[in-house]
């Protein structure tokens, strides 16, 4: 159902997230005969007192690279750790190419995730450190950088690294002094900019596993402060100290927690560039058969998945979901990470989040644990030190793709296996976390319980609850979150023991970004395992704007498009500022394992390529979209039959 539009969105957000009075259930207040009771108003007369759940989503980027990452630095990023934090908290700085840049609104938290392999090498090379110039290869790279050939040097370095041929004489290994210096500075910067209650700077890094060009990267995030993080060095992928096998990463994570008493998690991303190996169903990329160890350890250490980012959206693919008209969104399906191998359709099922969630149900039935029971976040994976995910403020993947009249036409990657044009970069995404406080502990704990959601860059607020007894009246007041928590579980939660004759009910509601587009619709995506062991999916339109009605094919008509391409503008004359409903699964079978997540879709608004065309006075390349429908993906709620 659609609620009445209104313009005071700051107030609207407070109302959405505050603990509700239970007016809808209790009826009108006693007519002067007795004082308002706590049953009528919530815990106390003031509905905001004694609130014991998250009141608003906190916004952040869990995946950002600075000049310490060998590829980011080699491509020309001159901004370090501190500039990245300054920018994320809302300061204006200058990008590597000299342009002034600032976020429309500060972020609440940031994870700097520089590559653990060769951390700090490229900054020392640019600085002309003597021990690097003493090596002939180091001297050659340095001279070429000075001569303006830095981009090709970057490509050469990345190619050598991906092939396992990076010179040992130049490698920065975790036991070397320069590497330790880089890690110490990483931790020191996070400690310096961490401001509990105002801005959270997480300690983190990226384990960059690459097998034959197939992406298996994981961001590693610490709940802890520097005193614990400095007791170890990050895990790398280079033998003998490191490995490209996720099982070895999990072993290192367990050793860290045992040694320090700390807490750590891993966050996979870009399965769309893994050529089928991100969500295996039978065996790992190594050929090792999946077993109880694999499923239990992956489930333990990887509670989240990065579903959308600059290198493509990874929720769904039209080949896998032919009945989903929104599955074809910013897909990168040309090949693997370095385009050394082309993509084939048989690979896709091991790459996309929705299929991963479905495969998790099948593996749980077979091995007893669901290894792909993940919540969903978005992040940028920007290598510019700039967490820019807004379409009108997009600074590209790396410093070679900062705003310019040429960036859309220049290929990001080109081999004999295919091409990824510059305009295919995606201004995405953000991680939204329902945490009680803006602190490392509170945000990390919300990540572990999966009370998080992803957006493609827009800051639309979304709540999603599942239970057995929600009613339409639970959304009739302006403060439904209290009912959401008291009668069920939030996103990331679990349902079981279905009452006789009942199907699960889901309460979902969303508010548009105060400076973004109105909402088109809310959908609930269901995946389930049938009695024959086959996985299935279905997408339900559950709330939408306007007076549209589903057609004979069951599909809701498009919302329309107000984008003025010439002027890179749009009007919010279609869509709704807020949407919400209570929905019950009409196809529920209490004997079948299932998951449900909400997808919220905005009306069309201009894409970053359209803003570029206006600002630089250039044509939009053939094939490039002129508009986009920003969206949010909540973490699922899982249903498991009893016994």
């Amino acid at each position: 159902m659609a609620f009445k539009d209104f313009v005071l969105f700051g107030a609207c957000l407070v109302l959405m997230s505050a603990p509700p009075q239970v007016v809808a259930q209790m009826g009108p207040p006693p007519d002067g005969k007795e004082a308002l009771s706590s049953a009528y108003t919530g815990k106390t007369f003031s509905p905001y007192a004694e609130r014991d759940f998250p009141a608003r989503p906190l916004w952040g980027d869990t995946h950002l690279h600075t000049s310490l990452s060998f590829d980011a630095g080699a491509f020309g990023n001159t901004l370090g750790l501190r500039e990245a934090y300054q920018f994320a908290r809302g300061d204006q700085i200058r990008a590597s190419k000299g342009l002034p840049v600032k976020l429309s609104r500060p972020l609440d938290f940031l994870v700097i995730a520089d590559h653990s392999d060769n951390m700090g090498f490229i900054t020392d090379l640019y600085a002309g450190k003597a021990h690097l110039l003493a090596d002939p290869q180091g001297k050659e790279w340095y001279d070429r950088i000075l001569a303006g050939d830095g981009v090709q040097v970057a490509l050469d370095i990345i190619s050598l690294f991906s092939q396992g041929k990076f010179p040992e004489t130049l490698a920065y290994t975790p036991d070397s002094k320069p590497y330790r210096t880089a890690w110490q500075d990483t931790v020191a910067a996070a400690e310096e900019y961490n401001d509990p209650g105002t801005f959270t700077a997480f300690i983190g890094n990226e384990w960059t596993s690459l097998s034959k060009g197939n992406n298996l990267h994981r961001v590693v995030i610490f709940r802890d402060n520097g005193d614990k993080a400095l007791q170890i060095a990050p895990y790398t992928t280079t033998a003998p100290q490191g490995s490209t096998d996720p099982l070895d990463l999990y072993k290192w994570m367990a050793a860290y927690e045992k040694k320090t008493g700390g807490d750590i998690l891993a966050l996979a991303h870009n399965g769309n560039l893994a050529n089928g190996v991100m969500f295996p169903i039978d065996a790992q990329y190594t050929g090792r058969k999946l077993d109880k160890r694999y499923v239990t350890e992956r489930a333990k250490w990887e509670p989240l998945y990065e579903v959308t980012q600059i290198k493509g959206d990874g929720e769904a693919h039209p080949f896998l979901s032919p009945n989903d008209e929104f599955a074809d969104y910013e897909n990168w399906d040309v090949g693997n990470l370095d385009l050394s191998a082309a993509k084939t359709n048989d690979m896709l099922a091991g790459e996309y989040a929705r299929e991963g969630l479905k495969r998790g149900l099948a593996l749980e039935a077979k091995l007893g644990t669901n290894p792909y029971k993940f919540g969903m976040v978005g992040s940028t994976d920007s290598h510019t030190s700039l967490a820019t995910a807004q379409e009108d403020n997009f600074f590209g993947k790396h410093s070679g793709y900062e705003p310019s009249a040429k960036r859309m036409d220049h290929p990001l990657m080109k081999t004999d296996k295919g091409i990824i044009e510059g305009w295919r970069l995606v201004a995405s995404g953000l991680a939204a976390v329902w945490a009680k406080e803006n602190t490392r502990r509170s945000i990390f704990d919300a990540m572990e319980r999966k009370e998080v959601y992803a957006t493609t860059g827009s800051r639309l607020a979304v709540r999603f609850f599942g239970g057995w007894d929600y009613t339409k009246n639970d959304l009739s007041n302006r403060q439904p979150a209290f009912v959401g928590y008291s009668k069920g579980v939030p996103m990331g939660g679990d349902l079981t023991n279905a009452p006789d004759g009942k199907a699960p009910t889901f309460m979902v509601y969303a508010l548009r970004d105060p400076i973004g587009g109105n909402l088109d619709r809310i959908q609930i995506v269901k995946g389930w395992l049938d009695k024959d062991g086959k996985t299935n999916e279905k997408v339900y339109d559950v709330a939408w704007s306007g007076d549209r009605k589903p057609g004979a094919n069951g599909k809701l008509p498009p919302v329309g498009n107000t984008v003025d391409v010439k002027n890179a503008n749009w009007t919010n004359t279609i869509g709704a500022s807020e949407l919400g409903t209570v929905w019950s699964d009409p196809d529920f079978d209490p004997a079948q394992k299932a998951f449900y997540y909400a997808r919220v879709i905005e009306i069309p608004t201009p894409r970053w390529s359209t803003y570029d065309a206006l600002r630089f006075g250039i044509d939009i390349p053939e094939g490039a979209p002129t508009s986009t429908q920003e969206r949010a993906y909540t973490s699922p709620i899982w249903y498991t039959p009893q016994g």
Side-chain angles (χ1 to χ4, degrees):
M1 71 184 201
F3 294 106
K4 184 179 178 182
D5 290 357
F6 59 91
V7 297
L8 298 177
F9 293 103
C12 187
L13 177 58
V14 171
L15 288 170
M16 185 194 81
S17 58
Q21 299 168 333
V22 287
V23 177
Q25 297 177 29
M26 299 296 296
D31 192 18
K33 297 180 180 179
E34 56 183 289
L36 291 175
S37 69
S38 61
Y40 177 75
T41 60
K43 289 188 176 182
T44 70
F45 178 86
S46 169
Y48 309 101
E50 300 182 11
R51 179 170 51 199
D52 192 31
F53 54 80
R56 69 179 183 92
L58 298 178
W59 295 98
D61 187 347
T62 59
H63 188 181
L64 182 71
H65 293 266
T66 75
S67 57
L68 277 183
S69 288
F70 66 90
D71 50 354
F75 278 121
N77 182 3
T78 62
L79 304 180
L81 300 156
R82 288 159 181 82
E83 290 92 343
Y85 286 127
Q86 291 162 11
F87 179 75
R89 72 181 184 184
D91 297 355
Q92 178 173 305
I93 66 171
R94 287 195 177 271
S96 294
K97 300 297 184 183
L99 288 174
V101 58
K102 185 177 182 178
L103 289 173
S104 64
R105 294 152 289 181
L107 294 180
D108 296 302
F109 65 92
L110 177 66
V111 181
I112 290 180
D114 282 314
H115 295 300
S116 60
D117 282 270
N118 285 307
M119 184 182 290
F121 163 79
I122 198 66
T123 52
D124 283 357
L125 180 64
Y126 268 84
K129 292 294 181 71
H131 67 282
L132 296 177
L133 299 189
D135 184 281
Q137 181 63 81
K139 182 66 163 60
E140 180 198 341
W141 284 339
Y142 179 72
D143 290 342
R144 288 170 58 192
I145 289 170
L146 291 182
D149 195 26
V151 172
Q152 188 57 50
V153 170
L155 294 173
D156 291 347
I157 290 174
I158 294 168
S159 177
L160 288 172
F161 175 75
S162 64
Q163 297 175 55
K165 296 179 180 179
F166 190 86
E168 292 184 12
T169 54
L170 294 175
Y172 275 27
T173 57
D175 57 355
S176 68
K177 182 178 180 180
Y179 188 105
R180 290 196 302 271
T181 299
W183 178 237
Q184 289 165 0
D185 195 40
T186 297
V187 173
E191 298 290 77
E192 180 181 344
Y193 283 88
N194 189 51
D195 185 8
T198 303
F199 178 79
T200 295
F202 280 99
I203 298 167
N205 61 80
E206 181 177 1
W207 175 76
T208 316
S209 175
L210 197 65
S211 172
K212 298 179 180 179
N214 300 332
N215 181 83
L216 286 169
H217 299 183
R218 266 76 168 175
V219 172
V220 176
I221 303 174
F222 295 77
R223 184 178 188 262
D224 311 310
N225 299 330
D227 57 337
K228 292 182 178 178
L230 286 176
Q231 293 182 38
I232 53 87
Y235 194 61
T236 67
T237 66
T238 307
Q241 293 118 322
S243 164
T244 61
D245 190 337
L247 287 174
D248 292 326
L249 174 66
Y250 306 152
K251 184 178 179 180
W252 173 88
M253 295 171 73
Y256 166 79
E257 290 195 351
K258 182 178 180 180
K259 179 177 181 178
T260 67
D263 204 350
I264 196 171
L265 65 80
L267 170 61
H269 67 89
N270 277 126
N272 60 325
L273 301 177
N275 274 13
V277 300
M278 179 58 76
F279 302 115
I281 189 67
D282 295 313
Q284 290 182 257
Y285 73 98
T286 59
R288 183 182 184 276
K289 289 290 185 181
L290 299 192
D291 57 12
K292 193 167 184 64
R293 178 192 171 197
Y294 181 87
V295 297
T296 55
E297 292 198 14
R298 182 155 180 173
K300 175 180 179 180
W301 298 110
E302 296 191 25
L304 303 179
Y305 181 67
E306 183 182 298
V307 71
T308 185
Q309 63 133 255
I310 284 175
K311 299 199 299 295
D313 192 88
E315 183 235 354
H317 190 280
F319 178 80
L320 302 171
S321 304
N323 296 320
D324 179 1
E325 66 268 39
F326 290 96
D328 189 13
Y329 180 75
E330 300 284 6
N331 294 139
W332 281 27
D333 52 10
V334 178
N336 56 0
L337 182 62
D338 59 6
L339 287 188
S340 59
K343 188 80 67 190
T344 57
N345 286 339
D346 62 297
M347 298 174 180
L348 296 172
E351 299 194 331
Y352 284 82
R354 188 185 300 173
E355 193 67 27
L357 291 167
K358 289 160 60 179
R359 285 186 166 193
L361 298 179
L363 285 169
E364 182 179 24
K366 178 181 178 182
L367 297 171
T369 300
N370 183 344
Y372 311 136
K373 194 175 181 179
F374 50 77
M376 293 195 277
V377 295
S379 285
T380 64
D381 192 12
S382 170
H383 283 53
T384 63
S385 301
L386 306 172
T388 57
Q390 200 168 298
E391 301 289 338
D392 64 353
N393 195 32
F394 182 51
F395 270 66
K397 168 64 176 175
H398 59 71
S399 296
Y401 285 85
E402 290 182 14
S404 75
K406 298 180 179 179
R407 67 171 173 172
M408 285 197 290
D409 290 316
H410 192 274
L412 183 71
M413 186 78 66
K414 185 177 183 180
T415 73
D416 61 351
K417 306 298 182 182
I419 182 172
I420 298 176
E421 301 92 338
W423 58 260
R424 290 192 182 275
L425 290 171
V426 189
S428 190
L430 288 175
V433 177
W434 288 103
K436 295 180 183 179
E437 300 174 330
N438 191 347
T439 62
R440 285 174 177 165
R441 290 184 176 185
S442 187
I443 296 172
F444 187 98
D445 290 350
M447 291 179 181
E448 283 204 320
R449 68 175 182 265
K450 306 165 191 173
E451 197 173 353
V452 300
Y453 63 97
T455 82
T456 54
S458 182
R459 300 194 191 187
L460 59 164
V462 185
R463 288 282 204 185
F464 182 50
F465 295 97
W468 304 104
D469 298 305
Y470 293 119
T471 68
K472 298 288 185 181
N473 285 338
D474 291 333
L475 278 176
S476 296
N477 63 79
R478 301 303 305 159
Q479 303 154 340
F482 185 83
V483 177
Y485 284 103
S486 66
K487 293 175 67 173
V489 298
M491 59 183 78
D494 290 276
L495 297 175
T496 190
N497 300 336
D500 289 343
K502 282 194 173 184
T505 56
F506 297 91
M507 183 166 66
V508 57
Y509 46 106
L511 298 172
R512 78 163 173 91
D513 185 328
I515 63 172
N518 275 340
L519 305 180
D520 169 6
R521 69 188 73 192
I522 299 176
Q523 300 175 311
I524 290 182
V525 180
K526 177 186 177 182
W528 71 95
L529 186 71
D530 64 25
K531 62 181 180 180
D532 297 321
K534 180 183 177 183
T535 59
N536 305 267
E537 67 174 63
K538 188 172 182 179
V539 180
Y540 300 86
D541 291 309
V542 299
W544 56 87
S545 62
D547 57 0
R548 294 173 287 166
K549 295 181 180 179
N553 62 354
K555 298 293 184 181
L556 191 68
V559 69
N561 191 332
T562 68
V563 172
D564 176 357
V565 176
K566 180 180 178 181
N567 296 301
N569 212 334
W570 85 100
T571 61
N572 269 329
T573 53
I574 58 175
S577 62
E578 58 176 339
L579 291 171
T581 193
V582 170
W583 175 81
S584 181
D585 179 5
D587 305 308
F588 180 65
D589 184 335
Q592 295 176 343
K593 296 176 184 290
F595 64 81
Y596 304 82
Y597 66 88
R599 181 171 66 182
V600 184
I601 299 176
E602 294 184 3
I603 67 170
T605 51
R607 192 176 182 270
W608 72 266
S609 44
T610 304
Y611 286 108
D612 266 24
L614 172 68
R615 292 169 180 173
F616 293 110
I618 58 177
D619 293 330
I620 298 174
E622 183 179 354
T626 57
S627 63
T628 183
Q629 287 190 262
E630 303 268 17
R631 56 201 61 197
Y633 312 115
T634 72
S635 293
I637 293 172
W638 287 267
Y639 167 74
T640 304
Q642 185 178 17

